[in-house]
Amino acid sequence: MSKKWVYFFANKQAEGRADMKDILGGKGANLAEMTNLGIPVPPGFTISTEVCKYYYDHGKTYPEDLKQQVDEALKRLEEVTGKRLGDPERPLLVSVRSGAAVSMPGMMDTILNLGLNDETVVGLAKLTNNERFAYDAYRRFLQMFGDTALGIPHAEFEKALEKRKEEKGVKLDVELDADDLKALVEDYKEIYKKHGKEFPQDTYKQLWAAIDAVFGSWMNERAIKYRQINNIKEGELLGTAVNIVTMVFGNMGDDCGTGVCFTRNPNTGEKIPYGEFLQNAQGEDVVAGIRTPVPLEELKKINEAVYNELLSIMERLEKHYRDMQDIEFTIEKGKLYILQTRNGKRTSQAAIKIAVDLVHEGLIDKETAVMRVKPEDVERVLHPKFDDEEVKNAKVIAKGLPASPGAATGKVYFDAKKAEEMHKNGEAVILVRPETSPEDVGGMNAAEGILTARGGMTSHAAVVARGMGKPAVVGAEEIVVDEEKLEFKVGDVVVKEGEWISIDGTTGNVYLGKITTVKPQGLEGEVAELLTWADEIRRLGVRTNADVPRDAKVAREFGAEGIGLCRTEHMFFEKDRIPKVRRMIVAKTKEQREAALAELLPLQKEDFKGLFRTMKGLPVTIRLIDPPLHEFLPHEEDQMKEVAEQVGITVEELKSIVEQLHELNPMLGHRGCRLTITYPEIAVMQTKAIIGAAIELKKEENIDVIPEIMIPLVGHINELKYVKKVVKETADALIKESGIDLTYKVGTMIEIPRAAVTADQIAQEAEFFSFGTNDLTQMTFGFSRDDVGKFLPEYLEKGILEHDPFKSLDWEGVGQLVKMGTEKGKATRKDLKVGVCGEHGGDPRSILFFDAAGLDYVSCSPYRVPVARIAAAQATIKNRK
Ligand code: ADP
Ligand code: MG
Ligand code: MG
């Protein structure tokens, strides 16, 4: 038996199903599913994505038996519709539509009204008794076919249309009558001729040319770019399917129309049907943003019965798919047809609200809800907002539709390519366009925010911006964009390229100038609820990296369960500390050094008290001093004098000290535990500060503290042994003296490959491990963290590395060290706590690995804590499978 390439659907029966997206594409699979559900879908058939794969694997040729299968399906379609392709009296018209397994809205081609030619157009006019409509359909077909199948520039057709309207002195397409459109058809044919192209009068040839065009569009530039931006890898999808669907017409008069609707609001997630409708129009008019559509509720006034039918179908589809649906519909002479349904794209805010609501409505369970939300969604709902004071004083110059929430500020650029360029140069960009089209996607991705003058809430700009989580204001009609002069005008305000504006995608306001954006300070509502479900599911703990009480507080509000890394040296850089630190460094004798340290002790103790107080009873890991000492000394000539005075030595002496401390490879130099081995008195002071703070808090405020003292940059067990002994002697003496019962732990960072390899030995001394994956990555790859900018971007571009290993853990290399270190460590010490405190602690892909490797917790920056909570829950679910 030959392979099945073509899947038919008509009259409540389809050969495909919703779960066949891989081979039918999302559009095709859902058309089949809806047909089976008895929802009014015009009949048609789908050519599978496997044909697309075959097409590209075989030098753009088709499987041998495809033609026969298409012929058979076409014949069946002619039977069920009682029409025939190319029949002069009862012509069958179809749309030829693209659709891959993952929705790529507008990226590939679709041709409507196929089957029209000089003969069938007359038949269609007679059959519908509507000559104007027939010629409108014909000229649309000529235009789409010319553009899509033959590559004739779209703009030429637009120009001809504009010219006809001008000559007649009308504004709208619908004001052209049958004769005007007939003349326009002739204009269009001239355009074909001018380009040396022939319009095929043979409808069967039309069909295959359209099929070729759709398969061809799989590899067009914008589709490729879209897949890149959305991280769809080559080979992950088979290709696009081709859907051939009987045409229904929304442009036959005022009892017709077309629209797009969502079962819930895709911006806010509210359970309110939401959509837009255009009377007397064909599908592409809505999506292209050519005419501004009216809200869906208007349909209720126009035809209440159809409106109610649509609402009930929306509800059915949502229950059936258990998710918010994005539906295309057309009304032909009062009869409703559904042309597409898919899980709707939504803002991060809506994604979270809908997931939570669907759990409350009993449609999905908590795990499904947690899996449906992307970790970035959780981060994005913590939308930047404008600084309250600044925004009060800012000038609102226009208002558009609030298409995608969040506040953005940047310099105006009108061209997508330029926007990309400026972004690469490190500029904050707001892309301003009359309306966007798929060619602009790269620029939109590079921009902080998007502003358009035209288009509705389902326009290209709105849909794409929401998908990207970018703030967008669309349809700001007062704005006049002049792409030639590179400026836009609102009333008498002129904004030129490169000038600052700010947009608020939550309100639709457009402001002149730059406004500072600020991040929110906590969790509430649905996102808080969703995260409590994530907490129930996840195995990994989530801590934060925080050096000061302010950060610790933010992190706690975001749900951090402790501090995984407090970098003590950050405290040393404070204005009132740095002179004391410097005095310690330049000390000539141990006594001098101890005197300087004694001055630092009370300050550092206060810091720790603040941190412990904020973390009330939660574990706090404090790392002893880590960076090389020269970082605390000045290197500029003009600072030398001041600092020399400050610490009471001559400039010459200071210079010579700086010289002595100079290292060729400071990253591999005198730092970490190497410092405290040379100067144990630093470790003594820091231990006194940590333990002293804990004792005082217990005594004074009855706050329990679990200090974890962490020794950095250990590669050999004896390094740890030495410093641990100093720490323990100091700590135990203090505790004994205080008469208080205090437990503390001493552990180590695992950030040198040797430590990971000998983790079984190191665990004999260490009571906990924390993988410092930043340094571990640096040393495992032998990449200097400070110099990767010179070559890493190229590595990523050339595909030498798939991910930046400093952002997302290198599973095969660094990851194996983490895994081995954890296993070896736990083999020695069963209750060894193992965490990670590098950049990777907040990266979902890395978290998936840490969960599988059996770590106990991850630690990340305060704003990543919510992301880590959800990512950890997703990791638990995924790793269970
Ligand atoms: P996209 O994936 O870009 O949305 P579609 O294939 O869905 O492309 O089609 C583009 C527009 O044409 C949509 O508005 C759709 O509803 C409309 N359309 C497609 N097929 C038909 C048809 N058979 N009858 C009427 N309108 C159609
Ligand atoms: Mg569509
Ligand atoms: Mg380190």
Side-chain angles (χ1 to χ4, degrees):
M1 233 194 63
S2 67
K3 195 168 166 63
K4 187 167 176 60
W5 304 110
V6 177
Y7 294 76
F8 191 74
F9 54 89
N11 296 338
K12 306 190 183 180
Q13 271 185 4
E15 294 172 346
R17 286 187 321 266
D19 59 7
M20 291 165 70
K21 282 200 177 72
D22 284 349
I23 59 166
L24 298 183
K27 200 179 287 169
N30 287 334
L31 285 171
E33 184 85 359
M34 287 193 290
T35 303
N36 284 328
L37 287 171
I39 283 167
V41 172
F45 57 90
T46 303
I47 306 175
S48 82
T49 59
E50 291 170 309
V51 174
C52 188
K53 175 152 172 46
Y54 184 102
Y55 182 76
Y56 284 105
D57 286 350
H58 294 81
K60 303 201 178 173
T61 58
Y62 294 116
E64 216 179 299
D65 47 351
L66 179 67
K67 183 174 173 299
Q68 189 202 334
Q69 292 191 23
V70 169
D71 288 348
E72 276 165 18
L74 181 61
K75 197 153 164 252
R76 283 174 79 182
L77 190 59
E78 291 175 336
E79 272 160 22
V80 299
T81 57
K83 293 179 182 161
R84 211 163 51 78
L85 190 69
D87 190 301
E89 262 139 47
R90 296 183 63 77
L92 172 69
L93 302 192
V94 294
S95 61
V96 179
R97 320 165 65 186
S98 55
V102 174
S103 123
M104 299 167 47
M107 294 299 131
M108 292 179 294
D109 290 337
T110 284
I111 295 176
L112 305 181
N113 306 335
L114 187 138
L116 283 171
N117 60 22
D118 290 350
E119 229 180 6
T120 54
V121 71
V122 179
L124 182 67
K126 272 207 198 115
L127 196 68
T128 56
N129 199 14
N130 189 340
E131 199 177 30
R132 187 202 172 276
F133 153 72
Y135 281 90
D136 185 44
Y138 194 19
R139 70 97 193 160
R140 284 172 190 266
F141 174 51
L142 279 164
Q143 180 166 351
M144 262 187 267
F145 187 87
D147 168 12
T148 308
L150 301 177
I152 303 171
H154 180 75
E156 301 224 0
F157 297 108
E158 284 298 319
K159 242 191 262 161
L161 173 63
E162 287 308 313
K163 195 158 160 246
R164 283 278 160 204
K165 286 195 280 189
E166 235 166 70
E167 274 172 22
K168 197 167 189 195
V170 298
K171 270 190 126 176
L172 297 175
D173 299 3
V174 286
E175 291 170 303
L176 295 177
D177 64 22
D179 287 335
D180 301 325
L181 292 167
K182 268 187 199 168
L184 187 60
V185 163
E186 294 310 314
D187 298 345
Y188 280 8
K189 286 184 186 161
E190 280 303 312
I191 295 175
Y192 274 72
K193 270 202 201 122
K194 197 181 115 198
H195 285 266
K197 305 278 181 189
E198 203 185 326
F199 170 71
Q201 291 287 334
D202 179 339
T203 51
Y204 192 69
K205 282 204 182 127
Q206 292 175 358
L207 180 64
W208 280 98
I211 293 171
D212 291 346
V214 172
F215 281 134
S217 68
W218 175 249
M219 285 293 177
N220 71 25
E221 203 183 309
R222 57 183 201 232
I224 292 172
K225 184 127 208 178
Y226 183 92
R227 291 196 289 271
Q228 265 171 10
I229 289 173
N230 290 278
N231 260 324
I232 302 170
K233 308 232 162 47
E234 220 175 295
E236 196 175 314
L237 301 177
L238 292 169
T240 182
V242 178
N243 300 288
I244 310 219
V245 184
T246 311
M247 282 303 301
V248 290
F249 298 102
N251 54 335
M252 287 174 82
D254 282 347
D255 54 352
C256 302
T258 185
V260 178
C261 58
F262 293 83
T263 54
R264 299 178 191 229
N265 185 316
N267 287 320
T268 61
E270 277 171 299
K271 195 183 175 184
I272 299 171
Y274 178 90
E276 291 174 332
F277 178 69
L278 255 183
Q279 212 169 351
N280 195 10
Q282 204 165 51
E284 77 267 20
D285 299 347
V286 182
V287 188
I290 293 166
R291 278 160 61 193
T292 300
V294 298
L296 186 66
E297 303 88 76
E298 295 287 311
L299 176 59
K300 193 172 179 181
K301 289 181 212 148
I302 298 167
N303 188 334
E304 192 165 353
V306 167
Y307 177 77
N308 289 336
E309 187 189 353
L310 178 62
L311 250 49
S312 93
I313 288 175
M314 284 165 81
E315 202 182 315
R316 249 186 97 190
L317 286 175
E318 185 179 270
K319 286 228 165 86
H320 183 74
Y321 287 101
R322 296 168 190 271
D323 200 357
M324 185 262 268
Q325 296 296 296
D326 164 358
I327 299 164
E328 288 174 6
F329 64 95
T330 282
I331 301 163
E332 176 180 315
K333 296 204 155 292
K335 166 134 183 52
L336 175 67
Y337 293 95
I338 306 297
L339 292 167
Q340 187 173 341
T341 192
R342 62 182 164 210
N343 294 339
K345 294 220 189 285
R346 60 202 77 181
T347 60
S348 297
Q349 182 194 341
I352 290 165
K353 176 160 173 58
I354 290 170
V356 170
D357 286 353
L358 289 177
V359 171
H360 291 308
E361 290 164 31
L363 281 176
I364 59 173
D365 61 18
K366 290 178 184 174
E367 279 198 4
T368 309
V370 164
M371 287 307 285
R372 269 204 194 158
V373 170
K374 296 196 265 339
E376 310 92 82
D377 287 332
V378 171
E379 191 181 27
R380 281 183 191 153
V381 289
L382 312 171
H383 287 302
K385 295 190 174 83
F386 287 131
D387 177 85
D388 284 343
E389 278 308 304
E390 282 185 40
V391 80
K392 251 188 246 160
N393 301 319
K395 177 173 175 181
V396 180
I397 50 171
K399 201 173 163 77
L401 301 171
S404 181
T409 188
K411 291 181 180 172
V412 169
Y413 288 95
F414 297 97
D415 176 75
K417 287 248 154 62
K418 186 87 186 268
E420 272 184 88
E421 233 170 75
M422 297 321 284
H423 172 73
K424 277 213 186 100
N425 294 344
E427 299 276 2
V429 172
I430 304 283
L431 181 66
V432 181
R433 302 277 311 142
E435 64 204 311
T436 63
S437 72
E439 281 84 47
D440 296 326
V441 168
M444 297 173 77
N445 193 45
E448 305 298 314
I450 296 133
L451 169 64
T452 71
R454 288 200 293 272
M457 294 295 276
T458 54
S459 66
H460 180 266
V463 173
V464 174
R466 282 198 291 270
M468 292 177 172
K470 300 259 175 198
V473 173
V474 305
E477 311 242 354
E478 309 128 276
I479 286 181
V480 183
V481 178
D482 188 332
E483 289 182 79
E484 255 144 51
K485 281 197 192 155
L486 294 178
E487 62 179 37
F488 75 78
K489 278 197 188 136
V490 213
D492 46 13
V493 181
V494 181
V495 180
K496 294 201 178 307
E497 184 183 74
E499 292 184 354
W500 286 87
I501 61 166
S502 302
I503 61 165
D504 188 338
T506 314
T507 60
N509 283 342
V510 180
Y511 301 89
L512 198 59
K514 182 178 174 177
I515 310 176
T516 312
T517 54
V518 290
K519 289 188 166 179
Q521 294 291 319
L523 298 167
E524 49 190 38
E526 281 88 5
V527 71
E529 187 168 9
L530 183 76
L531 286 173
T532 62
W533 300 342
D535 294 345
E536 290 164 20
I537 296 166
R538 70 184 157 91
R539 186 190 64 77
L540 277 175
V542 176
R543 296 196 192 177
T544 192
N545 300 346
D547 307 331
V548 294
R550 176 174 28 97
D551 289 352
K553 187 162 171 285
V554 171
R556 279 217 64 177
E557 260 140 40
F558 285 149
E561 297 157 320
I563 290 180
L565 175 64
C566 164
R567 308 174 193 84
T568 48
E569 60 272 12
H570 282 205
M571 303 170 172
F572 288 171
F573 282 108
E574 304 266 312
K575 256 214 173 77
D576 56 334
R577 323 272 161 96
I578 189 92
K580 300 184 173 67
V581 175
R582 286 170 176 160
R583 238 169 278 144
M584 168 194 81
I585 294 172
V586 304
K588 289 184 192 122
T589 63
K590 192 165 181 234
E591 286 68 43
Q592 281 181 1
R593 190 170 312 111
E594 279 176 344
L597 284 167
E599 281 188 58
L600 276 171
L601 174 60
L603 299 170
Q604 185 131 78
K605 191 160 72 184
E606 276 314 305
D607 291 332
F608 293 139
K609 278 175 91 170
L611 216 50
F612 291 152
R613 203 178 278 125
T614 314
M615 296 312 286
K616 281 192 202 83
L618 296 174
V620 177
T621 307
I622 296 166
R623 180 179 71 184
L624 300 186
I625 188 167
D626 185 53
L629 294 180
H630 75 86
E631 284 191 15
F632 299 101
L633 293 181
H635 294 92
E636 308 297 323
E637 192 66 29
D638 53 340
Q639 287 177 35
M640 288 282 182
K641 194 165 165 269
E642 190 194 326
V643 172
E645 264 167 31
Q646 211 177 52
V647 298
I649 56 176
T650 66
V651 174
E652 281 62 42
E653 279 175 309
L654 180 60
K655 276 188 185 161
S656 111
I657 289 170
V658 170
E659 234 159 75
Q660 275 168 35
L661 287 176
H662 173 77
E663 291 172 316
L664 285 180
N665 284 312
M667 273 293 185
L668 301 175
H670 198 188
R671 54 177 285 230
C673 67
R674 299 160 202 174
L675 276 179
T676 41
I677 288 171
T678 312
Y679 309 112
E681 50 280 19
I682 303 179
V684 170
M685 182 281 282
Q686 292 200 299
T687 304
K688 278 186 185 162
I690 296 166
I691 299 296
I695 290 170
E696 284 177 24
L697 271 189
K698 180 71 194 172
K699 274 191 178 162
E700 292 160 11
E701 302 171 38
N702 198 25
I703 292 175
D704 283 308
V705 182
I706 317 169
E708 301 178 344
I709 299 174
M710 181 154 78
I711 297 161
L713 220 70
V714 165
H716 194 290
I717 184 182
N718 289 343
E719 293 175 311
L720 176 60
K721 240 187 210 163
Y722 183 89
V723 183
K724 185 182 168 190
K725 185 160 171 272
V726 173
V727 168
K728 282 221 101 127
E729 279 172 6
T730 312
D732 291 346
L734 263 184
I735 293 170
K736 196 163 169 218
E737 186 189 321
S738 76
I740 276 180
D741 201 15
L742 178 78
T743 47
Y744 68 97
K745 284 186 184 168
V746 182
T748 182
M749 299 271 279
I750 304 283
E751 52 188 337
I752 288 184
R754 194 184 187 286
V757 175
T758 59
D760 46 345
Q761 295 174 24
I762 290 185
Q764 289 166 13
E765 290 291 327
E767 293 170 286
F768 63 87
F769 281 179
S770 179
F771 283 94
T773 49
N774 297 346
D775 266 323
L776 190 59
T777 300
Q778 162 167 275
M779 298 202 219
T780 303
F781 271 99
F783 287 170
S784 158
R785 260 155 80 185
D786 303 315
D787 299 308
V788 284
K790 294 203 174 79
F791 58 90
L792 199 53
E794 211 174 329
Y795 269 46
L796 299 172
E797 228 162 76
K798 294 189 171 158
I800 292 172
L801 291 177
E802 200 183 324
H803 304 274
D804 177 346
F806 290 99
K807 290 197 182 123
S808 194
L809 185 79
D810 159 42
W811 287 16
E812 293 88 14
V814 181
Q816 294 312 306
L817 285 174
V818 171
K819 189 162 170 258
M820 176 170 78
T822 307
E823 280 163 7
K824 285 192 158 191
K826 290 203 177 205
T828 300
R829 191 187 286 262
K830 252 180 109 194
D831 61 349
L832 183 80
K833 269 239 165 190
V834 181
V836 57
C837 62
E839 230 22 69
H840 307 87
D843 168 60
R845 189 182 151 274
S846 309
I847 290 172
L848 183 62
F849 185 91
F850 296 137
D851 183 68
L855 270 69
D856 297 298
Y857 70 86
V858 295
S859 187
C860 56
S861 64
Y863 277 94
R864 295 299 292 179
V865 167
V867 173
R869 286 165 73 191
I870 194 108
Q874 293 183 347
T876 301
I877 297 168
K878 284 186 196 159
N879 286 329
R880 203 193 288 146
K881 283 178 189 149

